[in-house]
Amino acid sequence: MKRLSLLFGLLFLLSGTGWGATGRMCFQCHPRAKFLKGRPHAPVAKGACVDCHRPHVARHKGLLSEAPPELCFSCHKKVKEALKTAVLVHPPFRQGACLRCHASHTSPGKGLLKGSLSKVCFSCHKDLKTSFTHVHAPFGKGRCLACHEPHASGDRRLLKRKGAKLCLSCHKPTPKLKKTHPGTLETMDCLSCHHPHGSARKGILRDVSHPPYAQGKCAGCHAKRNLGAALCFSCHEEIQKTFDHFHNHLLGGYSPNPCLLCHSPHLADTKAMLKDTPRRLCQQCHPETYRQREETLYSHPKWKLCIECHAPHGSNHPAMLKGNGNDVCIRCHETQGKFTHPVGEKVRDPRNGQPITCVTCHNTMGTNFKYNLRLSGEAALCIECHKNY
Amino acid sequence: MYRMSQKLLRERSFSGRSCRTFYLGLIVCLLMVLGLGSTLHAGSWRLVASIEKGKAGIFLHYPLGLNYDAALGRLYVADAGNNRLISYTTDWKPLKIFDAAGQLRGPIGMVRERDGSLWVVERPINSLTFINLKLRKVERHHLTLKGRPVLVDKMTLWKDRLVILDRATGKILMLRKDLTVEREFAPGSRNFKGFFDLKSKGDILWGMETLSGRLFGFDASGKVIDTFVPKKHLPQPVSFDRDAEGNVYILDRYMKKLLIFNRDGSLRYEMLKKGFKPGQLSYPWEVLMVGRSLLILDEGNGRIDVWNR
């Protein structure tokens, strides 16, 4: 009994020697100056190395007591909560890759970032255009977090606030601003006309103008705005028929004019007047599809180009594909269309009696099997139908 | 050592009965903890039939509409991909196939009037088509609402009126006999996102909001008298129905699951999973309660699965 109390006492003493002692002990080998340079992580500053590390042995790299993100979440509980509740999450955050952006011990800047904010962001967002004639000041200064949330948001662009509220937090509604923007400033969609990063046009306006807007024929549309999609169809007559399909994106009520869910009425970056690239635009309503890709090993190389395979207005095929599960694939995969597992109307899937197509076995949106197969090509997939094998 | 094992054996034999009771109790507790409660709910549904073909033996192709005529005891299926309508008996046997002598184009929904005439939605030509079977007459109507074309979607008969969902506005429209709009159904709230499905249940007309899965129940005057908000995020809810106890069944096309909620919006349980075999879902499109049976129309698998409990 005496021995047991002695052991407990010793353990208590060891654990109670405090951070100072453990820190001091670690810093005997790991140079203190290296860890305390710049802005150190709170446990590092306190010398509480054992908050994250085990001194002797550990299951995780760096003698960590737990692997990130769980280790990080043990203190940063609010961030963990955001991951649980948010619909649109920054991919590194969803993957628990905290250390992709953050340093674990010390950093020269705020938020324990690995480098300057812009450097960290552009290390992944390499395709973002950076040189503009007219630049939005926060973007020019590399202050990405002035507008964006780093972890999660209700917006596909991870914006901090919805609609004009974000812009009006800096751009105060002066009489001049009100004069150039007739209507209610608070309900405007600023990003519909202005590029948030920069542009060749003054006022960082987007490059392509909708002809009636360029010609100053505002009343042509605004006088008939109650017509909803019919207003757009009055000029784009041929487009109306593209919605007359079993499945379509004419989501009336989702917006007074459903066309404006995806298209910008005044200015845009492309001729199709889309509000964003399809890759980002589609994410607003289909975040789960993006999550599927992030969480799986194999996906189609053209995955980001949604409208290569999907008809954006309407289609008579499930998933709004541009053709049936064969036609849409053989546009590129010509050989497979001629020489492959038998497909087509005459070859029926024994599980449901439907024609066998490429998508019977492949799921291009992301799977954990090579060639985007739905199940393992070793056997599991084949024996679904070929029972005798 | 020998004495010790003898003692242990004695102890075992003495406590054998209480041990059995104890272990039985433990197993029951474990099963309850592991969620037997919920599996009993989900497990109580039994797949009794899979409707895959019409009378001629041709498989359904992209079926997109279900309608049950309680008075006649007939199930009607709009087999859009095959340009035909098919009727089934109450034991889910195919009865008749109708394609208006080859005139029908991509029917996505239908209802049958008391006099036997049909209203069919032909999506490829955006027509609300009236078919008088006795006179062998087909009339196609292209509706408008306040100067804008109506995109007719799902429909039902309620209070002797044809009620349709207009996808162009997201509103539910009650039509007069001359097909003019008698009443529009939409909640007044600013954040309303338009309807995606509708069902009539007695004196209440229910509409399901696009993407959120919220339900709004209207009386005949167009006033919202009941609402339902699911307490779970649904990626792509496409159809719903309610049973006699007020439970709400929501079919999610992305999750490929049927989610069953209590009246207060709390999730009771989920059933079904992704797949191609009977009882599994590929691209589900509609759920319909017919008495105690649950019908699930799956466009991708070209099938209607019938579940009973």
Side-chain angles (χ1 to χ4, degrees), chain B residues 46 85 92-93 247 303:
Chain B
R46 200 163 39 90
L85 305 170
W92 322 118
K93 299 273 185 295
N247 298 314
R303 185 167 65 211

Side-chain angles (χ1 to χ4, degrees), chain A residues 322-335:
Chain A
K322 282 184 171 174
N324 66 34
N326 286 330
D327 295 345
V328 80
C329 303
I330 60 170
R331 294 174 309 156
C332 296
H333 303 275
E334 287 174 29
T335 316

Side-chain angles (χ1 to χ4, degrees), chain A residues 147-183:
Chain A
C147 302
H148 299 280
E149 284 286 357
H151 296 129
S153 156
D155 183 274
R156 68 178 187 279
R157 298 153 293 193
L158 295 179
L159 291 177
K160 282 190 160 177
R161 299 176 83 178
K162 274 189 175 177
K165 279 181 190 164
L166 176 68
C167 308
L168 292 173
S169 62
C170 288
H171 302 274
K172 300 295 171 203
T174 58
K176 190 186 167 190
L177 192 72
K178 283 181 181 171
K179 197 181 167 190
T180 48
H181 296 80

Side-chain angles (χ1 to χ4, degrees), chain A residues 48 84 266 327:
Chain A
K84 275 186 195 168
H266 300 124
D327 295 345

Side-chain angles (χ1 to χ4, degrees), chain A residues 226-228 230 240 244-248 250 252-254 288-289 292 316-319 351-354 363 384, chain B residues 59-62 64 80 123-124 148-149 151 167-170 192-193 211 233 235 254 276-277 283 299 301-303:
Chain A
N226 291 337
L227 283 176
Q240 188 176 345
D244 294 346
H245 287 97
F246 298 161
H247 304 289
N248 64 70
L250 194 69
Y254 212 82
E288 282 74 17
T289 309
Q292 181 181 347
N316 284 344
H317 305 281
R351 296 168 296 179
N352 57 16
Q354 298 299 302
N363 181 354
E384 280 269 305
Chain B
F59 282 99
L60 304 179
H61 186 48
Y62 298 163
L64 286 166
R123 173 52 60 77
R148 48 164 99 172
L151 186 65
R167 282 284 299 278
T169 58
F192 173 63
K193 302 287 186 194
L211 285 180
H233 169 70
Y254 185 85
F276 300 93
K277 296 172 186 170
Y283 283 97
E299 178 196 8
N301 280 323
R303 185 167 65 211

Side-chain angles (χ1 to χ4, degrees), chain B residues 130-155:
Chain B
F130 178 75
I131 300 171
N132 189 324
L133 294 170
K134 285 174 195 162
L135 300 175
R136 294 173 178 250
K137 203 171 141 190
V138 176
E139 287 170 15
R140 290 195 164 107
H141 302 274
H142 302 279
L143 307 185
T144 55
L145 171 69
K146 294 171 189 165
R148 48 164 99 172
V150 168
L151 186 65
V152 189
D153 205 88
K154 296 183 177 173
M155 63 177 168

Side-chain angles (χ1 to χ4, degrees), chain A residues 21-188:
Chain A
T22 54
R24 271 197 298 277
M25 208 180 290
C26 304
F27 291 143
Q28 282 175 9
C29 295
H30 304 280
R32 185 189 175 94
K34 194 180 146 190
F35 290 93
L36 297 178
K37 202 167 60 181
R39 295 178 189 222
H41 194 197
V44 178
K46 286 192 268 175
C49 309
V50 288
D51 278 6
C52 301
H53 299 280
R54 287 187 187 277
H56 301 128
V57 285
R59 285 170 185 267
H60 308 287
K61 209 181 165 187
L63 288 178
L64 289 174
S65 52
E66 247 183 303
E70 285 312 318
L71 177 65
C72 311
F73 289 157
S74 62
C75 289
H76 301 278
K77 292 189 166 54
K78 274 188 184 172
V79 183
K80 186 182 183 179
E81 207 50 43
L83 183 63
K84 275 186 195 168
T85 52
V87 179
L88 292 147
V89 180
H90 195 200
F93 179 48
R94 182 186 301 290
Q95 291 155 11
C98 309
L99 299 181
R100 200 174 294 168
C101 302
H102 298 282
S104 47
H105 296 126
T106 182
S107 138
K110 269 184 179 175
L112 267 180
L113 287 174
K114 275 187 167 174
S116 69
L117 182 61
S118 59
K119 199 176 164 190
V120 171
C121 300
F122 285 117
S123 67
C124 286
H125 297 276
K126 287 174 181 146
D127 57 340
L128 269 184
K129 195 180 168 189
T130 50
S131 58
F132 299 101
T133 318
H134 300 277
V135 186
H136 190 208
F139 182 77
K141 290 173 189 166
R143 290 176 48 227
C144 310
L145 298 185
C147 302
H148 299 280
E149 284 286 357
H151 296 129
S153 156
D155 183 274
R156 68 178 187 279
R157 298 153 293 193
L158 295 179
L159 291 177
K160 282 190 160 177
R161 299 176 83 178
K162 274 189 175 177
K165 279 181 190 164
L166 176 68
C167 308
L168 292 173
S169 62
C170 288
H171 302 274
K172 300 295 171 203
T174 58
K176 190 186 167 190
L177 192 72
K178 283 181 181 171
K179 197 181 167 190
T180 48
H181 296 80
T184 316
L185 274 176
E186 287 74 17
T187 57
M188 281 183 182

